[in-house]
């Protein structure tokens, strides 16, 4: 939930914030996002390899999440400040450019330190083919739920501070940062890596749980009083206090009721961890060779890259499409985005059920076809067709849920295949290079979108003034970026899925061979 809240706000609002709140030219704004993503991509394999080599009593992944949580929240918040560097607009723009590039680089380092070890936890928590899909369904339910929560927060904050765009994003960034930090601590203090010790023993969890529950109850009471005393009936402080209170209570109750799963601390789990820790580290160059010699891994990289280019290209340009092409108000945008994410949340569990019956590839085909139809509709509809817009948003949600679920359910199977071939488990390497290539591709795409908007004559909003009317050339660029461009990537993803070699039966055979190998 923590990384999802921040990532969702960034992908939906950051480019728009740069051009329409900070007042940066579209080309410069797109360059900031591209540089940030390239730096983020470089961080990923480094963090992945380092987390694979990390040896602590708490495991390989949890310590990274624990110590990265607070820097993660701080640097996210700093991205929503608009400092003034000069009265000269050109000098000020370059000052803002340098500021946002530095903050984005630091945030991406913290994001990688937290999120990459987290994503690599899946194969460490379960080795069952269907349970991995099940686990990812719940993981992405909270991920999409966090995304929806961030959009609801944006709706409320934008309404309360409708005349002050800078204040809107500053408060949204601050509240989201705190929610994300609490969510990350909730995860790290509650879960336990296979064969490793938890951060807190049972007694410590119960004591902390009761404290958090009490603090959460006080937070809810304070929030309710703030809303009751508000003249408008809406209090951002009150709503934030209630959210924090609910988080603390949920955090506390799960600690109080915490029980260690037997398969995580069994003798077999401890022996497997000790064996993994005793295996000598392989040089990075050799790890790269092994990773890219795994044909199934190359297909998963391609599927993930295409799926997420479709998601993030659409998301980053969506607010421009809604405001500039459809002629809707800025405050109406979060409701449209909620329609996409809400549908994706509901469909996750439907797709999980279908996956158990038909397999992961069939689910990917079904979701992508519906999404491609929705993308075509976005290109064709005209301003004023609001009802049709929401129908297309719901259809897109069918495909977005598949983009969340299926590639991340495939990668643990690839890790098992690599273990069979090499005798080592290198989750960090595979997860990091999967995300690395995705971010490099996304960096290029965001850079091109920013440059295309500027080349097409997109008019940046001057801070404090009304949203400008865009020329026809800029409107056409926005429509191409939201529909035909993502569709190309979705079709390539369908082709790659067709050739993906690890079916349910193939994975069962891999697990059987691994078991026989360990027994011998």
């Amino acid at each position: 939930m923590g990384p999802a809240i921040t990532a969702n706000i960034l992908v939906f609002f950051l480019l728009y914030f740069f051009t329409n709140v900070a007042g940066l030219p579209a080309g410069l704004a797109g360059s900031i996002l591209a540089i940030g993503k390239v730096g983020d991509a470089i961080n990923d394999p480094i963090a992945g390899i380092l987390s694979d080599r990390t040896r602590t009593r708490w495991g390989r992944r949890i310590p990274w999440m624990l110590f990265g949580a607070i820097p993660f929240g701080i640097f996210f918040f700093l991205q929503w400040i608009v400092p003034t560097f000069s009265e000269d607009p050109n000098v000020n723009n370059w000052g803002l450019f340098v500021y946002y590039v530095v903050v984005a680089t630091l945030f991406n380092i913290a994001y990688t330190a937290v999120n990459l070890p987290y994503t690599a936890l899946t194969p460490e928590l379960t080795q069952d083919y269907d349970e991995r899909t099940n686990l990812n369904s719940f993981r992405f339910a909270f991920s999409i739920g966090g995304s929806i929560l961030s959009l609801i927060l944006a709706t409320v904050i934008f309404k309360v501070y409708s005349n002050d765009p800078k204040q809107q994003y500053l408060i949204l960034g601050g509240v989201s940062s705190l929610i994300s930090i609490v969510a990350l601590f909730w995860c790290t203090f509650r879960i336990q890596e296979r064969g490793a010790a938890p951060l807190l023993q049972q007694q410590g969890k119960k004591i902390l749980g009761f404290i958090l529950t009490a603090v959460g109850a006080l937070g809810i009471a304070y929030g309710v009083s703030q809303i009751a005393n508000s003249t408008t009936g809406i209090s951002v402080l009150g709503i934030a206090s209630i959210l924090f209170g609910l988080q603390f209570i949920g955090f506390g109750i799960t600690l109080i009721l915490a029980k260690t799963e037997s398969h995580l601390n069994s003798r077999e789990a401890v022996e497997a961890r000790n064996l993994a820790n005793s295996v000598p580290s392989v040089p990075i160059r050799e790890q790269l060779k092994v990773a890219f010699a795994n044909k199934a891994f190359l297909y998963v990289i391609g599927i993930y890259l295409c799926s997420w280019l479709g998601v993030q290209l659409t998301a980053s340009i969506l607010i421009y499409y809604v405001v500039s092409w459809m002629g809707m108000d800025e405050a109406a945008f979060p409701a449209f985005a909620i329609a996409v994410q809400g549908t994706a949340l509901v469909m996750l569990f439907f797709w999980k059920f279908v996956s158990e019956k038909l397999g992961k590839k069939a689910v990917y085909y079904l979701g992508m076809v519906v999404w491609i139809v929705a993308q075509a509709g976005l290109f064709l509809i005209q301003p004023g067709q609001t009802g049709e817009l929401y129908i297309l948003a719901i259809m897109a949600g069918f495909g977005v849920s598949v983009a969340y679920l299926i590639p991340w359910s495939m990668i643990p199977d690839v890790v098992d295949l690599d273990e069979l071939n090499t005798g080592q488990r290198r989750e960090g390497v595979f997860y990091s290079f999967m995300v690395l290539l995705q971010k490099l591709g996304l960096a290029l795409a965001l850079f091109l979108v920013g440059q295309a908007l500027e080349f097409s004559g997109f008019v940046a909003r001057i801070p404090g003034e009304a949203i400008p009317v865009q020329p026809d050339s800029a409107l056409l660029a926005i429509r191409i970026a939201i529909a035909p461009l993502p569709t190309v990537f979705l079709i390539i993803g369908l082709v790659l899925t067709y050739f993906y070699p690890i079916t349910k039966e193939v994975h069962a055979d891999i697990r059987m061979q691994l078991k026989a190998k360990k027994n011998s």
Side-chain angles (χ1 to χ4, degrees):
M1 182 168 71
I5 288 174
T6 55
N8 190 67
I9 292 173
L10 290 173
V11 76
F12 275 124
F13 295 113
L14 190 59
L15 183 61
Y16 188 81
F17 170 79
F18 285 155
T19 59
N20 285 34
V21 178
L24 288 170
L28 213 56
S31 298
I32 295 170
L33 296 179
I35 293 168
K37 286 297 177 186
V38 170
D40 195 13
I42 294 169
N43 297 332
D44 286 324
I46 298 171
I49 291 167
L50 289 176
S51 73
D52 277 348
R53 295 180 176 184
T54 299
R55 302 289 183 266
T56 73
R57 63 191 301 267
W58 302 305
R60 300 186 290 177
R61 320 296 178 190
I62 297 291
W64 286 79
M65 298 164 63
L66 177 66
F67 294 111
I70 291 177
F72 169 86
I74 291 171
F75 291 124
F76 175 76
F77 172 70
L78 291 177
Q79 292 180 100
W80 306 103
I81 295 173
V82 185
T84 301
F85 293 97
S86 172
E87 294 298 322
D88 185 325
N90 289 328
V91 174
N92 191 61
N93 282 346
W94 282 107
L96 288 171
F97 175 81
V98 172
Y99 171 80
Y100 288 126
V101 165
V102 171
V103 173
T105 301
L106 294 172
F107 169 73
N108 285 326
I109 291 171
Y111 183 92
T112 299
V114 164
N115 197 53
L116 197 138
Y118 167 72
T119 58
L121 278 172
T122 304
E124 304 217 23
L125 296 176
T126 179
Q127 296 182 321
D128 181 82
Y129 181 86
D130 287 326
E131 194 172 25
R132 284 171 173 174
T133 305
N134 194 16
L135 190 65
N136 275 297
S137 296
F138 282 95
R139 171 191 160 195
F140 285 116
F142 275 85
S143 178
I144 298 174
S147 301
I148 294 170
L149 174 61
S150 69
L151 293 168
I152 294 172
L153 278 173
T155 304
V156 174
I157 292 168
F158 289 179
K159 184 176 181 180
V160 173
Y161 298 95
S162 58
N163 296 322
D164 192 346
K166 289 184 180 179
Q167 192 78 347
Q168 289 175 353
Y169 287 97
L170 192 66
I171 293 172
L172 179 62
V175 174
S176 300
S177 296
L178 292 173
I179 292 174
S180 298
I181 291 171
V182 174
L184 288 165
F185 282 141
W186 184 351
C187 182
T188 53
F189 280 98
R190 172 59 188 89
I191 64 172
Q192 173 185 346
E193 289 188 41
R194 189 167 179 259
L199 287 175
L200 290 176
Q201 298 302 322
Q202 292 299 106
Q203 188 63 25
K205 285 181 180 178
K206 289 185 185 300
I207 293 171
L208 180 58
F210 282 117
I211 293 171
L212 290 170
T213 304
V215 172
L218 291 174
I220 291 174
Y222 177 75
V224 170
S225 69
Q226 286 292 310
I227 293 173
N229 294 329
S230 173
T231 55
T232 61
I234 300 176
S235 167
V236 172
L237 179 59
I239 292 170
S241 297
I242 291 172
L243 286 174
F244 292 132
L246 291 171
Q247 257 194 313
F248 274 65
I249 288 175
F251 190 172
I253 290 173
T254 54
L255 288 179
I256 293 167
L257 302 178
K259 292 181 180 178
T260 303
E261 295 175 78
S262 58
H263 72 95
L264 294 178
N265 66 347
S266 64
R267 190 177 70 177
E268 181 187 357
V270 174
E271 288 175 352
R273 175 174 174 264
N274 292 337
L275 178 63
N277 288 346
S278 67
V279 174
S281 298
V282 178
I284 293 176
R285 184 176 294 180
E286 290 301 314
Q287 295 200 39
L288 289 174
K289 286 182 181 178
V290 172
F292 288 99
N294 188 322
K295 188 179 290 186
F297 177 59
L298 298 180
Y299 282 115
V300 174
I301 285 176
I303 294 165
Y304 180 65
L305 173 61
C306 292
S307 302
W308 276 94
L309 278 171
V311 170
Q312 298 202 28
L313 278 173
T314 304
S316 62
I317 203 74
L318 192 57
I319 190 168
Y320 294 99
Y321 178 84
V322 169
V323 173
S324 297
W325 173 248
M326 296 301 294
M328 298 168 68
D329 190 72
E330 285 175 296
F333 167 73
F336 175 71
I338 288 170
V340 178
Q341 298 282 27
T343 304
L345 175 61
V346 173
M347 291 303 296
L348 271 178
F349 296 96
F350 171 76
W351 292 131
K352 179 184 78 70
F353 172 78
V354 176
S355 175
E356 290 172 357
K357 302 295 181 184
L358 303 178
K360 297 171 186 176
K361 293 171 71 168
V363 167
Y364 192 85
Y365 297 148
L366 292 169
M368 287 300 118
V369 168
V370 177
W371 191 4
I372 288 169
V373 172
Q375 293 295 106
L378 287 174
F379 185 76
L380 296 173
I381 64 170
Q382 299 299 309
Q385 293 181 303
T386 308
E388 290 85 346
L389 181 65
Y390 279 97
I391 291 171
L392 293 172
I394 292 169
M395 290 176 65
F398 280 67
V400 169
S401 62
V402 169
Y404 276 107
L405 180 62
I406 297 304
W408 286 110
S409 299
M410 288 174 167
I411 195 69
D413 306 335
V414 170
V415 173
D416 286 344
L417 177 61
D418 177 64
E419 183 184 9
L420 180 64
N421 293 335
T422 67
Q424 293 188 27
R425 291 192 67 81
R426 288 188 291 258
E427 290 91 343
V429 172
F430 285 101
Y431 279 88
S432 62
F433 279 101
M434 181 174 172
V435 178
L436 168 117
L437 294 181
Q438 178 252 336
K439 287 176 180 174
L440 286 176
L442 184 61
L444 177 62
L446 290 172
F447 175 76
L448 292 176
V449 166
Q451 296 302 317
L453 284 176
E454 185 153 323
F455 181 75
S456 66
F458 179 85
V459 181
R461 181 185 190 176
I462 299 172
E465 296 192 7
I467 298 171
V469 176
Q470 299 298 335
D472 290 342
S473 56
L475 294 175
L476 179 60
I478 290 169
R479 291 171 67 207
I480 290 172
I482 201 170
L485 189 58
T487 300
V488 170
F489 293 112
L490 298 182
I491 292 171
I492 295 171
L494 282 173
V495 174
L496 293 173
T497 303
Y498 177 80
F499 292 102
Y500 176 68
I502 303 180
T503 61
K504 189 171 183 176
E505 294 74 23
V506 170
H507 182 259
D509 184 57
I510 291 170
R511 293 301 312 160
M512 192 183 303
Q513 291 183 60
L514 277 173
K515 188 174 181 179
K517 201 171 182 180
K518 287 176 181 177
N519 289 339
S520 63

